Amino acid sequence: MLISCNRLKKYITDAEDIDFLHLWDDFTLRVAEVEGVTVKGDDLDGVVTAKIIECEKHPESDKLSLLKVTDGEKEYNIVCGAPNVRVGFVGVLVKDGGMVSGIKIKTRKLAGYPSEGMMCAVDELGIGSDHDGILELPSDTPLGVDFKSLYPVEDIIVEIDNKSLTNRPDLWGHYGIAREVCAITNHELLPISLLDIPDDKKDLDIEIANPELCKRYCGLEIKNLVNNKTPLEMQIFLHYTGMRSLNLLVDVTNFLMLELGQPMHAFDERVVKNIRVQLANDKDTFTTLDGVERTLSKDTLMITNGDKYFGIAGIMGGLDSEILPDTTSVFIESACFDAGSIRKSAVRLGLRTEASARYEKSLDPNMCDVAIKRLAYLLKQENPEMEITSNLTDIYPEPLLPKTVVLKKNKLKKYTMIHFTDEEVVNSLTSLGFKVEVLDDAYSVIVPTYRATKDISMDADIIEEIVRLYGYENIKEVPLKLELTGKEEDTVWNKEYDVKKFLASRYSLNEVHSYLWFDSDLLKECHLEKQNVSLLGKNENNILRDDLSLSLLPMVKNNLKNFDKVGIFEIATVIINNENKRRLSILLADEEKNMKDIYMNAKEIVVSLFQTLKHQKIEWQKEVPDGYYDENLSYAILIKKKTMGYLKVFNGVCTRYIGKKKALVAIEIDFDEYVSLPVLETLYQEVSKYPTVTLDYTILTSKNMKYEDLLKILKPFYNKFVKEYKLVGTYEEEKKMKYTMRYILGSEEKTLESKEIDKFKEKFMEHITKNGLEILF
Amino acid sequence: MKEKVLKLKEEALQELQKLNKEADVLNCKAKYLGKKSKLNELLSSLKNLSVEEKKEMGPLLNQTKKELEEAFSKKLEEINSQISYDFDETLPVYVQTGSLHPITLVAKEMTDILKRMGFTVVSGPEMEEEYYNFEALNIPKDHPARDMQDTYYLSNGKLLRTHTSPNQVRAMQKYGAPLKVCAPGRVFRNEDMDANHENTFFQLEGMVIDKDISISNLIYVMRSLLSETFKKDVKVRLRPGFFPFTEPSFELDCSCLICGGKGCPTCKNSGWLEFCGCGMIHPNVLKESGIDPEEYTGFAFGFGITRLAMMKYKIGDIRVLNSGDIRALDEFEIE
Ligand SMILES: [Zn+2]
């Protein structure tokens, strides 16, 4: 929101004592965030009032005129392109050497004639956006006077962050800001001039059908408004604060909104019959002032007139009631609507206006009648002949009364560790418009209604008022006096980090972060239909993931454009059966020919995750977690029959999605289960005193025999001296497969005798041969 | 004969001197001391000599043999002690490492600091109930924060949490007071993405509740946390702010990390950088979670780890973080 300091000065006693350029750092610290301070009028120089005394058409140009103007002392030849020039016109002249919009103006030839300066339009003067003609001043304006001394061109404009005013409806107008400035600088806030409206005429026909949505509705009828020209001072103010000046009737309502924060509306009185505030019918349409036809809903609060829609309450009026050039009588609306209802309607209609932005903040209904009296006062200044033809008709079903909040003195102390005197408390609260009664151990505070609609309701709110004016920077820091309060959840966080670090450092994997939803293109390209919780109001990327590995495929695909080989992982949330689940997914991708390598690498990672970090032994069980995984190479990872996750290989469609001739292996660990899996204690095992014997056997099998099958043969072979046997090498031939198995024999009680070893050899050979296999020597 | 022996010795020693490979020395040794060597011949012919000659030649031959043997041993020892390897030791090495996500690193650093201050790290669900995300945090039904435009509502009636603050409620309801927890986590806002906006980012929430917790304590914790995080003494200041779940609410600024508070383009010459929102926990929030606001007070803070990571690692485009692009993410090695 833009604030004009010239305007603020009008509400503050001895305002000239305040440094309005440097006030705003303090304002940021005490009230709300100031985003910028701009000085206006310093790009304007050598600009004086002047009168046109001669006016001729340029001989060769339709548009240009040759003027002679006077500043009362000297005459100047000016070439001017404005259409509204005429003899006797009083306007603004920038002389040779002067400056407008920061540009130096020099005498020069224009279309063959010398021009000793320029007559200015409002946009050139920086005080408006209009460029239809040069600015005309009242004909009785003294000549040769510095324009800047006549009108409030020099100003300081302050931009306040709207977000920081979210909970301060009272600060959406200059008067509220002035109140805060007074509180910060110890000045007094001046009252504003209002017009007394006698209660001796007819009441207007106004009804509120939904008092829960319309807190108050004030109406006033004014006639004989013959002058519809906005005074230049107000035009400049409106321009500086970001509004467009149109005509007096519209401008004065905007001025009121900027002054008191109260949105107002002026309807052409000729069309007003009876005003009703009520909800719309579902799917009715209504064309707003901006010419757009809008579809209403049964929750849209409307102003109706003679059973026809007249305006969308608190948001925008309709085309029918617009102020026209010949409008001389108006119906003024000053109302207060429910914040939530206005906000919802504005969001639903996609129509946020200055008015709706203010109503959304919960305005003070007690401002409605003040604003209407103020508006009448301002109109009267420009239209002394105007007639008020109705009573101030005020429909106010449940008047809002000031609220009383009790603040205990020890609570103030507890929050701040500062001892405030009663005087300090009373002074700061009073400066903000609160009334304070000092009790023994508490303050009884009466909250003005402009602070009570939303902002202030309890003691903590009062503490904020006292402390912010005292200055947060004056609070000393104090260390916490708390003992350690470690809770068990800590370990979950640690374990996630430990596993991430393990994967990155030991297996050189890269951690990624991805989105909670599936990429729609991925699903489409892989011909997958996923049924899961979805995001409302979205058609793309809207299905939450239930498979972390699948959701990471686009990242694998993208990285394969830059690398031959990719290894990424993430610990993240998936949504399964309407519940949050934590998963670890690792994806390894490489050239198709390296499938065995990455598969084995993945297998090693799985074993190491459980063995190295948990000391737990896993079992594999062939299982396909979902339809788009390969049946032959996908395995469930089990610990004591419980599934901990999967080592899985995507089917051809998904694998081809990441690229041609690629191999892709995924690991998905149920991280909730993994975290709760204990780290097994490893007990010390005494090293045998007696030597062991190592025997290597190379077993020849047929090519289609897997190691798993060989194990099925080796497992049943029993000899009490076998301490361990394991695969130490494989060798692939055209039709055969060679597995070298290492047997370690030994005993805890003695050194083995050679006959015991020989017996093992003999029995083992026999077992192998019996199973149709051959041992190579 | 004597000359012959001396000449032989001279010859052997000269030949040996030129050699520097073990095999050559051994060959040379065989040549002069082996079974078929001249010296051996001479030794075996000793028996044919006269006593007189034997007396002279015997010791000479033995002495010569001994001297040569010593010379060969010495040479061999010399060669063995100075074995040389033949390779280019100046070749570079490449350490293959993976990477942790910058958010993981920053979150770890901050939670470590908080843990040293006695905070427990807690976490909560990303798909959250409206109650925890809004109601329990004093955000009533018609509050603008609930607008469709920033909240992802879900088909099952839940939502994706818009902040990490639901963790406050869950922690209060689980543990009660006193309490000292922090919660890093992923949050979601239904926003259009550009270099500065993401719909998925990370926050860190912190909360302390005890008897007599004051604004003074909040300032202390935030200043300590930031000073440790940025590894320099930073100042903090509080400004009025507004959050439904704290009262009073503050915006917390820290002294500009670039200029130290003197004013520079980064801080728009103010000397301060906006850092996070915080405040004293709203009495309604305490009450809702069963904690008596007359007995206990507390403070809470929450800030974007994503933004902090971008500041720390000078990441210009927020979208890099969720891109999964290893070229960008591999920069961040494990600490
Ligand atoms: Zn700076």
Side-chain angles (χ1 to χ4, degrees):
Chain A
M1 192 176 58
L2 298 173
I3 295 296
S4 153
C5 290
N6 281 344
R7 183 91 320 253
L8 292 181
K9 288 174 189 167
K10 311 243 184 219
Y11 311 126
I12 302 173
T13 52
D14 304 322
E16 60 278 9
D17 298 344
I18 299 172
D19 179 355
F20 277 95
L21 198 55
H22 298 105
L23 166 72
W24 303 102
D25 284 344
D26 257 4
F27 193 87
T28 292
L29 289 174
R30 304 278 181 274
V31 187
E33 190 176 344
V34 172
E35 288 191 312
V37 178
T38 315
V39 175
K40 294 280 185 185
D42 60 353
D43 57 355
L44 207 60
D45 191 36
V47 183
V48 297
T49 52
K51 186 192 254 179
I52 300 173
I53 49 176
E54 283 175 30
C55 179
E56 279 173 37
K57 278 257 163 275
H58 187 285
E60 285 140 39
S61 168
D62 290 345
K63 287 181 183 163
L64 294 179
S65 310
L66 304 175
L67 310 178
K68 189 152 277 178
V69 301
T70 176
D71 63 1
E73 283 184 14
K74 224 183 130 205
E75 290 177 5
Y76 303 85
N77 292 306
I78 303 289
V79 182
C80 183
N84 60 337
V85 290
R86 60 168 200 279
V87 171
F89 183 107
V90 176
V92 182
L93 169 73
V94 53
K95 296 191 284 192
D96 177 77
M99 182 169 67
V100 285
S101 310
I103 301 163
K104 279 250 180 217
I105 301 299
K106 288 226 155 35
T107 300
R108 57 178 178 141
K109 271 198 172 169
L110 260 176
Y113 291 84
S115 190
E116 300 166 289
M118 185 173 101
M119 292 297 281
C120 302
V122 287
D123 64 333
E124 287 154 344
L125 293 167
I127 55 168
S129 51
D130 194 26
H131 194 74
D132 291 344
I134 54 174
L135 171 64
E136 182 165 12
L137 300 176
S139 56
D140 57 353
T141 306
L143 299 184
V145 179
D146 184 357
F147 180 62
K148 296 205 285 189
S149 70
L150 282 182
Y151 291 96
V153 177
E154 285 178 304
D155 200 350
I156 296 166
I157 301 300
V158 181
E159 185 171 7
I160 300 180
D161 177 23
N162 286 349
K163 263 192 195 152
S164 74
L165 301 177
T166 308
N167 66 325
R168 294 293 304 269
D170 62 312
L171 297 187
W172 283 77
H174 280 66
Y175 196 65
I177 298 286
R179 184 185 295 115
E180 294 287 330
V181 171
C182 288
I184 297 173
T185 59
N186 288 316
H187 282 69
E188 297 277 323
L189 184 69
L190 293 167
I192 46 171
S193 308
L194 307 175
L195 188 71
D196 244 354
I197 298 166
D199 206 13
D200 56 1
K201 296 180 193 72
K202 59 165 184 180
D203 265 342
L204 297 165
D205 187 358
I206 301 169
E207 256 180 50
I208 299 173
N210 299 81
E212 73 286 3
L213 301 180
C214 179
K215 306 281 168 65
R216 188 178 191 183
Y217 195 106
C218 296
L220 184 70
E221 196 181 85
I222 306 177
K223 290 187 174 166
N224 199 26
L225 293 157
V226 287
N227 176 15
N228 200 6
K229 191 167 171 2
T230 308
L232 184 57
E233 183 174 339
M234 189 183 283
Q235 284 185 39
I236 296 172
F237 168 74
L238 290 171
H239 180 69
Y240 281 177
T241 51
M243 302 294 284
R244 199 179 149 79
S245 170
L246 291 169
N247 55 54
L248 180 66
L249 290 174
V250 173
D251 287 355
V252 84
T253 58
N254 285 332
F255 179 87
L256 249 296
M257 182 174 70
L258 295 172
E259 182 178 53
L260 297 179
Q262 173 65 42
M264 310 197 75
H265 206 89
F267 300 111
D268 191 319
E269 186 271 336
R270 290 172 294 185
V271 296
V272 177
K273 295 178 184 125
N274 55 10
I275 296 294
R276 298 285 177 273
V277 187
Q278 60 192 52
L279 290 166
N281 294 316
D282 214 15
K283 300 204 173 63
D284 276 0
T285 57
F286 176 66
T287 304
T288 40
L289 207 52
D290 53 6
V292 180
E293 189 184 83
R294 307 192 181 260
T295 307
L296 310 172
S297 89
K298 60 177 173 32
D299 298 320
T300 316
L301 190 67
M302 300 296 291
I303 310 297
T304 64
N305 172 40
D307 294 336
K308 284 168 83 181
Y309 293 133
F310 209 33
I312 303 174
I315 301 178
M316 196 181 265
L319 267 178
D320 306 344
S321 58
E322 208 184 356
I323 299 296
L324 300 170
D326 66 343
T327 303
T328 56
S329 57
V330 292
F331 173 99
I332 307 289
E333 166 196 296
S334 178
C336 184
F337 304 106
D338 175 68
S341 161
I342 297 295
R343 188 175 55 78
K344 277 189 198 128
S345 291
V347 170
R348 194 168 38 231
L349 293 165
L351 182 63
R352 297 198 111 145
T353 58
E354 289 278 341
S356 74
R358 285 173 171 78
Y359 279 123
E360 283 178 17
K361 308 297 182 289
S362 298
L363 295 179
D364 176 14
N366 292 335
M367 192 60 88
C368 294
D369 59 329
V370 177
I372 223 163
K373 289 175 190 167
R374 174 70 173 162
L375 186 115
Y377 172 85
L378 292 171
L379 281 179
K380 183 111 183 157
Q381 303 300 302
E382 305 304 316
N383 285 281
E385 308 297 313
M386 79 177 196
E387 290 168 47
I388 292 175
T389 50
S390 79
N391 292 333
L392 200 172
T393 309
D394 185 0
I395 313 296
Y396 195 5
E398 264 183 78
L400 179 67
L401 301 171
K403 196 184 301 189
T404 303
V405 175
V406 173
L407 168 63
K408 290 199 183 114
K409 290 178 181 175
N410 67 3
K411 192 147 194 186
L412 176 62
K413 179 87 191 290
K414 195 169 175 176
Y415 265 63
T416 59
M417 292 180 130
I418 294 167
H419 180 76
F420 287 98
T421 63
D422 289 347
E423 197 191 348
E424 283 174 311
V425 171
V426 172
N427 282 350
S428 57
L429 290 177
T430 309
S431 72
L432 293 168
F434 294 74
K435 291 194 181 80
V436 190
E437 189 190 342
V438 181
L439 310 173
D440 276 352
D441 60 345
Y443 304 104
S444 174
V445 182
I446 298 172
V447 183
T449 53
Y450 54 81
R451 297 297 303 277
T453 52
K454 172 178 171 185
D455 182 19
I456 290 183
S457 60
M458 52 167 56
D459 51 6
D461 302 319
I462 303 291
I463 293 175
E464 174 170 32
E465 297 304 304
I466 297 165
V467 184
R468 73 180 171 91
L469 287 185
Y470 172 79
Y472 292 136
E473 72 275 20
N474 296 318
I475 300 179
K476 304 260 180 322
E477 67 171 57
V478 176
L480 285 177
K481 274 187 297 190
L482 282 182
E483 68 290 348
L484 290 181
T485 51
K487 310 285 184 199
E488 73 263 26
E489 276 196 53
D490 234 3
T491 55
V492 177
W493 169 253
N494 284 344
K495 278 175 191 165
E496 285 202 3
Y497 184 79
D498 290 348
V499 169
K500 288 175 182 180
K501 192 169 170 176
F502 180 76
L503 293 171
S505 53
R506 178 133 173 193
Y507 293 102
S508 300
L509 299 173
N510 299 103
E511 189 193 2
V512 297
H513 279 174
S514 61
Y515 295 100
L516 188 55
W517 39 85
F518 282 120
D519 176 54
S520 295
D521 292 339
L522 162 80
L523 297 181
K524 209 158 76 191
E525 282 185 52
C526 293
H527 313 299
L528 297 175
E529 290 266 352
K530 278 284 182 186
Q531 301 292 330
N532 204 5
V533 182
S534 61
L535 304 174
L536 292 181
K538 295 241 164 195
N539 302 317
E540 286 267 290
N541 305 338
N542 58 337
I543 299 171
L544 298 194
R545 62 182 171 199
D546 57 1
D547 180 341
L548 182 56
S549 302
L550 179 64
S551 77
L552 291 176
L553 288 192
M555 285 189 180
V556 175
K557 181 189 176 114
N558 286 335
N559 279 306
L560 282 173
K561 289 172 190 158
N562 306 308
F563 301 94
D564 297 334
K565 199 176 148 104
V566 168
I568 57 173
F569 72 95
E570 182 174 14
I571 299 177
T573 297
V574 296
I575 306 297
I576 295 174
N577 296 331
N578 269 325
E579 278 179 51
N580 290 276
K581 298 282 178 195
R582 213 64 184 150
R583 292 284 186 268
L584 160 64
S585 169
I586 303 166
L587 285 169
L588 304 177
D590 203 334
E591 305 290 320
E592 194 173 45
K593 62 179 193 301
N594 297 328
M595 179 59 184
K596 185 184 167 192
D597 293 348
I598 58 168
Y599 189 89
M600 286 305 156
N601 188 10
K603 208 165 163 180
E604 186 192 331
I605 293 170
V606 172
V607 172
S608 140
L609 276 172
F610 288 93
Q611 263 175 20
T612 313
L613 297 181
K614 295 283 191 182
H615 307 154
Q616 294 265 14
K617 200 168 154 31
I618 57 171
E619 280 173 58
W620 301 96
Q621 182 178 298
K622 203 168 251 190
E623 196 180 316
V624 195
D626 225 319
Y628 45 92
Y629 288 102
D630 182 83
E631 288 174 13
N632 295 314
L633 287 171
S634 298
Y635 283 84
I637 302 157
L638 306 177
I639 285 186
K640 298 193 183 81
K641 308 273 181 250
K642 193 171 203 175
T643 303
M644 303 302 298
Y646 291 91
L647 171 65
K648 50 196 190 177
V649 170
F650 286 94
N651 69 11
V653 180
C654 294
T655 306
R656 271 191 295 281
Y657 164 84
I658 63 160
K660 273 184 197 151
K661 298 221 174 215
K662 294 290 175 192
L664 176 62
V665 180
I667 298 165
E668 184 134 342
I669 306 287
D670 184 330
F671 211 76
D672 301 315
E673 291 288 350
Y674 185 83
V675 165
S676 54
L677 193 67
V679 179
L680 287 190
E681 298 285 344
T682 38
L683 295 174
Y684 172 69
Q685 280 198 324
E686 206 172 333
V687 180
S688 174
K689 289 189 286 257
Y690 304 100
T692 55
V693 176
T694 303
L695 296 170
D696 284 358
Y697 291 101
T698 299
I699 302 166
L700 189 68
T701 72
S702 65
K703 184 94 185 216
N704 58 14
M705 186 165 183
K706 288 186 171 183
Y707 178 66
E708 190 185 24
D709 305 320
L710 176 63
L711 272 186
K712 279 182 196 147
I713 292 170
L714 295 178
K715 235 178 196 167
F717 175 74
Y718 175 77
N719 177 295
K720 65 175 176 177
F721 297 123
V722 174
K723 300 189 86 168
E724 188 190 346
Y725 64 97
K726 62 182 177 190
L727 180 72
V728 291
T730 58
Y731 185 71
E732 214 174 319
E733 284 180 349
E734 220 173 295
K735 288 178 180 159
K736 295 280 180 183
M737 193 67 203
K738 288 174 185 169
Y739 293 100
T740 303
M741 299 299 302
R742 174 163 296 166
Y743 276 78
I744 295 173
L745 309 184
S747 162
E748 300 304 312
E749 287 122 32
K750 58 173 187 171
T751 304
L752 295 188
E753 292 169 36
S754 63
K755 66 172 188 206
E756 284 163 335
I757 298 168
D758 288 343
K759 191 170 177 206
F760 166 82
K761 288 181 180 170
E762 187 190 314
K763 289 282 177 194
F764 185 68
M765 295 283 287
E766 204 181 293
H767 181 76
I768 296 297
T769 323
K770 196 173 74 196
N771 282 285
L773 300 177
E774 193 186 330
I775 291 184
L776 297 176
F777 291 97
Chain B
M1 188 164 179
K2 189 179 165 187
E3 277 123 59
K4 211 174 168 182
V5 174
L6 290 174
K7 199 180 161 201
L8 196 67
K9 180 178 139 189
E10 199 59 27
E11 195 185 301
L13 289 174
Q14 264 179 23
E15 197 175 322
L16 178 64
Q17 207 183 351
K18 291 174 200 152
L19 303 177
N20 48 25
K21 283 190 186 152
E22 191 178 15
D24 295 343
V25 174
L26 289 173
N27 284 336
C28 184
K29 188 181 174 182
K31 182 174 160 193
Y32 289 99
L33 292 171
K35 275 182 182 156
K36 288 174 182 170
S37 67
K38 285 230 174 89
L39 198 67
N40 222 15
E41 259 172 50
L42 288 169
L43 269 169
S44 44
S45 67
L46 206 60
K47 59 183 186 281
N48 306 328
L49 297 178
S50 67
V51 177
E52 197 73 353
E53 281 173 316
K54 268 188 198 164
K55 243 186 177 172
E56 195 195 350
M57 291 308 293
L60 178 69
L61 280 171
N62 278 324
Q63 178 64 26
T64 306
K65 188 181 175 186
K66 204 180 152 199
E67 276 177 35
L68 285 178
E69 272 171 348
E70 273 171 17
F72 279 111
S73 303
K74 206 177 151 201
K75 185 77 183 185
L76 279 172
E77 205 175 297
E78 206 179 291
I79 289 171
N80 281 330
S81 71
Q82 49 168 261
I83 280 173
S84 68
Y85 299 96
D86 187 21
F87 67 91
D88 181 357
E89 81 281 11
T90 66
L91 290 174
V93 293
Y94 298 102
V95 180
Q96 205 199 356
T97 54
S99 59
L100 292 180
H101 196 279
I103 301 283
T104 300
L105 295 174
V106 172
K108 167 75 174 158
E109 197 178 344
M110 313 251 352
T111 50
D112 278 353
I113 295 166
L114 288 165
K115 274 156 90 170
R116 284 200 292 278
M117 294 164 121
F119 284 76
T120 299
V121 188
V122 300
S123 51
E126 292 176 10
M127 178 176 74
E128 185 56 282
E129 286 161 39
E130 259 191 79
Y131 169 79
Y132 287 103
N133 200 71
F134 292 133
E135 260 106 326
L137 289 164
N138 198 35
I139 306 174
K141 272 265 184 282
D142 64 345
H143 194 276
R146 291 201 178 195
D147 273 0
M148 279 293 279
Q149 65 221 33
D150 12 67
T151 306
Y152 281 117
Y153 286 97
L154 300 176
S155 55
N156 59 359
K158 297 185 183 185
L159 48 78
L160 299 183
R161 65 177 176 197
T162 57
H163 46 188
T164 43
S165 308
N167 288 305
Q168 287 186 22
V169 182
R170 289 181 175 274
M172 282 187 285
Q173 296 187 353
K174 191 167 173 185
Y175 303 116
L179 190 61
K180 209 177 183 185
V181 294
C182 67
R186 200 176 243 143
V187 301
F188 308 85
R189 299 274 171 91
N190 192 352
E191 280 198 19
D192 290 334
M193 297 208 290
D194 61 31
N196 294 309
H197 295 91
E198 247 291 355
N199 53 37
T200 303
F201 54 98
F202 279 75
Q203 284 186 341
L204 177 68
E205 189 84 6
M207 178 171 76
V208 176
I209 301 173
D210 203 350
K211 290 172 183 172
D212 299 325
I213 290 291
S214 67
I215 301 169
S216 303
N217 298 137
L218 166 64
I219 297 172
Y220 165 78
V221 167
M222 294 313 291
R223 196 199 44 76
S224 309
L225 174 62
L226 291 179
S227 293
E228 282 205 52
T229 303
F230 296 118
K231 299 183 177 66
K232 61 167 102 171
D233 276 336
V234 298
K235 289 195 214 70
V236 298
R237 71 171 190 187
L238 300 180
R239 290 186 279 118
F242 173 69
F243 309 102
F245 35 95
T246 47
E247 185 65 43
S249 298
F250 313 111
E251 293 287 347
L252 183 134
D253 298 337
C254 69
S255 52
C256 177
L257 301 167
I258 310 291
C259 65
K262 289 188 204 81
C264 73
T266 304
C267 58
K268 292 180 199 145
N269 280 317
S270 70
W272 297 95
L273 295 175
E274 202 172 315
F275 186 75
C276 75
C278 52
M280 300 297 286
I281 301 168
H282 199 289
N284 290 352
V285 174
L286 292 172
K287 246 184 273 173
E288 181 64 35
S289 293
I291 294 171
D292 179 5
E294 293 306 315
E295 187 179 2
Y296 287 99
T297 49
F299 64 78
F301 57 87
F303 54 82
I305 320 182
T306 299
R307 210 168 66 89
L308 196 67
M310 290 175 72
M311 268 164 76
K312 189 172 163 132
Y313 296 110
K314 304 204 172 9
I315 299 168
D317 190 329
I318 196 170
R319 290 167 293 192
V320 164
L321 295 169
N322 288 339
S323 70
D325 188 338
I326 297 172
R327 289 174 301 171
L329 297 173
D330 201 21
E331 304 291 315
F332 306 98
E333 290 187 0
I334 312 121
E335 284 179 4

